[in-house]
Each structure stands twice: as C-alpha cells, then as structure tokens.
Amino acid sequence: MTQVKAEAKTDVPVNIYRPKNPYVGKCVSNEELVGEGGIGTVRHITFDISGGDLRYLEGQSIGIIPEGTDANGKPHKLRLYSIGSTRHGDHCDGKTVSLCVRQLEYKHPETGETVYGVCSTYLNKMQVGDDVKITGPVGKEMLLPDDPNANVIMLATGTGIAPFRAFLWRMFKENAGEQPLNPDYNFKGNAWLIFGVPTSPNILYKEELEELQRSYPDHFRLTYAISREQQNPEGGRMYIQHRVAEYAEELWKLIQQENTHTYICGLKGMEGGIDEALGAVAAKDGVDWSEYQRNMKKAHRWHVETY
Ligand code: FAD
Ligand code: A2P
C-alpha cells in the first residue's frame, strides 16, 4: 500500500488549560437526548468558553473536573469527554463547547446497590448558569483530514457519536448559510456513519442526522445498528460489527482508496468484531488485515478512540 502523506496538523491546540489551572466555564444548556422509552440518560451539554483562551478542533476532547472530593478526601480527578461541537460551537460564534454525556449507572458487583458515576452524574445534573472546570483540549487521534474530497467512514456506539456530530456539522451545516464558516473546507467527499444504539429512542441526535441525510443524500449515508430491536444473522443483538460484516465488500473497496479515513469511537468491545469482519473480506483478496491496518494507522487513515 502506498503511504499517503500525513495531514499537516501543526496548529493543533493542546493543553491550553491544565488541571492545576483549569478554565472555569459556564453551563448554557443541558438537554436530554434519550427519547421516551429509551435506556438511561444521555445529555447534550453546552458550556460558554468566551472568557478565556480555550480553542479546540473537531475530534478533540476536553477534561472536566467534577466538584467535590473522592473517598480519600482528595479533589476529584478529571474525566475526558469527546467534544461534540465544531470549533465554532453550536451557536457558530466560537463561544461554546458541547459534550454528549451518558450518566454511568451500574449495579455494584458485591452489594447489588446502584452506583452512579461521579463526573457523568455531576455533568448530567448541571444547571444552566453553573460553573464548570475545564482542561485541555487534548487529542490528535481523531482529527478530520483537511481534504474536502476524502471518504470518511465513522463507526460509533452510543456517546461515540460526539466527534462525528462535530465532523458532520463541519462538513455540511457550517457552510450551508449565506456566510460559509469554513470557506477552505467545502466537503464533497463521502461520509458514512454506522451508529450502534440499544433502542430507537436511544438514537442520539436522530433528527439532526436524518435531516442531514435527507439534505445530502449523495454525500452522507446513515446506517443504524439498533441492538435490542434488530437481529444479527445469527439471531442475536444487532451490533455495529454485524453491519460492518453486512457491508464488508463495499467498505473494503472504500477503505482501499487512499483518500479514505476510518474512525471508530465509543465502546472498546466493538473493535474485535470490526477487525474480524474486515479481516474476512480482506483475506478474500489475499490481504492480511492486521498488516494493512497497521499501515493505515501509520498513514493516519485509521483512527480509534474507545473507552
Ligand atoms: P466514575 O465514578 O469514575 O466510575 C467509573 C468506574 O466505575 C470505573 O472505573 C469502574 O471501576 C466502575 N465501573 C464502571 N462500570 C462498572 C460496572 N458495570 N461494574 C462494576 N464497576 C463498574 N463518556 C461519555 O459519556 N461521553 C463521551 O463523549 C466520552 N468521551 C470520552 C473520551 C475519552 C478519550 C475517554 C478516555 C473517555 C470518554 N468518556 C466519555 C468516558 C468518561 O471519561 C468517563 O469515564 C465516564 O463518564 C465515567 O466517569 P464517571 O466519573 O461518571 O464514573
Ligand atoms: P446492548 O447494550 O444492547 O448490548 P449506549 O452507550 O447508548 O448504551 O449504546 C451502546 C451500544 O453498543 C448498544 O447498542 C450496545 O448494545 C452496543 N454494544 C454493547 N457491547 C458491544 C460490543 N461488544 N460491540 C458492539 N456494540 C456493543
């Protein structure tokens, strides 16, 4: 495989604010994204960052330091969250940053008690006007290629949609008005999002995504894997890797084009299944998937952020 030139990413802002001296932003909105009958709670939370020097690019993350102390009486450590807005923010004025946060909730393995995650609960319950300590931004793994003709394959589970929402806004929404926000990035490539969620009401940003698909059918393809409503060919839950297997021939053809970038974000557990599906189709052409993938990583064409 010929190696494509790595993108020029010299001006990527990192660690403008560190944990010892975080930026104190303000919550300007906090909205539920899970519809009636869906599982759990996931919020779209927007912070005002207009008072400082915080800048970021699509695909980066920020750290949040929750209020309070841990079991040892020490201040809580930061947690990372993928940014869900473009560098211009949801209001296109460069004054905000948005996150997409699922409240962690699980049964304690010994006591059976319901446990709620510290930072995700802090964020989920945040009120408009509350202060929030922000660090970062961090991350160079999930940046979009500068090439407006690139093919961009996005594989997400749950809140893994966050960076892809930012990508899609940058590709399609920000240039749609009278005054394009990204005159140097007039996306004319192919974007394909394969999105795994448990139930239909859990399709985060459903209206936005489907509106984009209707408006840009030649440039944006949207495929869902709704695990608890759809079945895979073996009769089990439909996961994203089953969709990858279903479209393996098409994906493999696309992936072999040098201007194709693949991004994976969300649950770590999906990676093995995706490799298996693409490994099988690559093997039909006598290609060793692990080696192929290694080369794509070196060429900055295979991007993974799982947690
Ligand atoms: P904590 O209070 O820190 O609890 C977490 C701990 O609970 C775990 O370490 C584990 O010990 C325990 N635990 C968790 N589940 C179970 C279980 N089922 N059984 C037993 N014990 C368990 N999250 C988002 O919602 N949206 C994002 O966009 C996002 N982006 C991320 C990007 C990156 C790069 C990374 C690294 C993580 C991202 N996360 C995201 C996850 C986020 O950082 C936090 O880990 C998450 O919100 C939980 O933090 P918490 O403080 O609520 O949980
Ligand atoms: P399920 O929970 O039905 O087993 P959310 O973050 O909103 O819970 O969505 C995560 C989605 O990813 C769910 O549909 C979940 O399915 C699915 N999922 C869980 N484990 C895996 C895995 N190992 N590989 C791919 N998808 C997974």
Side-chain angles (χ1 to χ4, degrees):
M1 188 179 76
T2 327
Q3 302 252 317
V4 290
K5 213 170 108 231
E7 316 95 277
K9 293 293 183 200
T10 43
D11 193 22
V12 181
V14 284
N15 291 318
I16 299 173
Y17 288 92
R18 294 180 182 273
K20 285 207 171 113
N21 189 18
Y23 175 73
V24 180
K26 253 191 204 320
C27 175
V28 292
S29 63
N30 184 348
E31 286 157 20
E32 183 60 57
L33 291 170
V34 177
E36 186 95 16
I39 296 167
T41 165
V42 181
R43 316 279 297 189
H44 182 74
I45 312 169
T46 302
F47 305 119
D48 183 300
I49 55 167
S50 61
D53 297 325
L54 191 60
R55 289 170 287 116
Y56 61 90
L57 296 179
E58 302 77 22
Q60 291 195 290
S61 300
I62 50 172
I64 299 290
I65 306 173
E67 280 298 309
T69 50
D70 63 19
N72 300 318
K74 297 227 167 90
H76 284 303
K77 294 209 160 59
L78 70 85
R79 270 70 162 177
L80 289 176
Y81 293 92
S82 304
I83 296 171
S85 50
T86 70
R87 67 191 74 180
H88 302 291
D90 282 357
H91 307 301
C92 299
D93 57 5
K95 291 184 177 173
T96 64
V97 63
S98 298
L99 303 179
C100 171
V101 181
R102 168 174 278 287
Q103 184 183 26
L104 175 67
E105 177 184 346
Y106 64 91
K107 294 266 178 250
H108 192 281
E110 280 140 36
T111 64
E113 253 178 276
T114 303
V115 184
Y116 295 98
V118 171
C119 193
S120 57
T121 300
Y122 163 74
L123 286 170
N124 270 245
K125 303 228 174 298
M126 187 162 275
Q127 305 282 319
V128 170
D130 284 355
D131 284 346
V132 59
K133 289 186 188 137
I134 303 176
T135 65
V138 295
K140 293 188 178 179
E141 173 64 24
M142 297 288 284
L143 301 175
L144 255 184
D146 295 329
D147 176 11
N149 297 308
N151 301 310
V152 179
I153 300 170
M154 298 165 276
L155 309 174
T157 59
T159 53
I161 191 69
F164 304 144
R165 177 180 183 268
F167 287 8
L168 292 167
W169 271 55
R170 180 159 170 80
M171 287 169 176
F172 300 114
K173 286 186 88 142
E174 293 195 332
N175 279 350
E178 269 173 27
Q179 295 222 306
L181 279 179
N182 307 307
D184 298 334
Y185 184 72
N186 190 11
F187 185 73
K188 286 283 172 270
N190 295 302
W192 186 356
L193 169 66
I194 307 184
F195 187 17
V197 293
T199 71
S200 305
N202 283 95
I203 302 175
L204 311 172
Y205 308 107
K206 182 173 190 287
E207 282 75 28
E208 276 181 28
L209 295 173
E210 294 179 7
E211 163 81 46
L212 286 178
Q213 192 193 28
R214 278 193 298 277
S215 303
Y216 302 93
D218 298 335
H219 296 281
F220 177 42
R221 185 165 168 186
L222 176 61
T223 305
Y224 295 133
I226 309 178
S227 57
R228 303 191 193 185
E229 294 174 12
Q230 300 170 330
Q231 287 193 339
N232 67 39
E234 283 82 51
R237 287 180 179 180
M238 171 62 85
Y239 284 162
I240 192 163
Q241 50 268 40
H242 302 116
R243 288 289 183 220
V244 172
E246 184 180 337
Y247 296 111
E249 299 278 352
E250 225 177 320
L251 285 166
W252 173 230
K253 261 198 208 124
L254 205 54
I255 283 170
Q256 289 174 90
Q257 295 178 22
E258 282 193 6
N259 62 341
T260 299
H261 285 247
T262 306
Y263 295 82
I264 299 180
C265 191
L267 289 176
K268 201 165 183 45
M270 72 176 133
E271 286 180 61
I274 291 169
D275 284 338
E276 211 177 294
L278 292 173
V281 68
K284 286 193 202 164
D285 288 342
V287 174
D288 178 90
W289 173 249
S290 313
E291 196 190 327
Y292 198 87
Q293 190 186 46
R294 218 170 15 254
N295 285 328
M296 280 195 297
K297 281 183 186 165
K298 276 192 208 147
H300 301 283
R301 291 180 48 218
W302 189 265
H303 313 257
V304 181
E305 192 148 277
T306 51
Y307 44 87

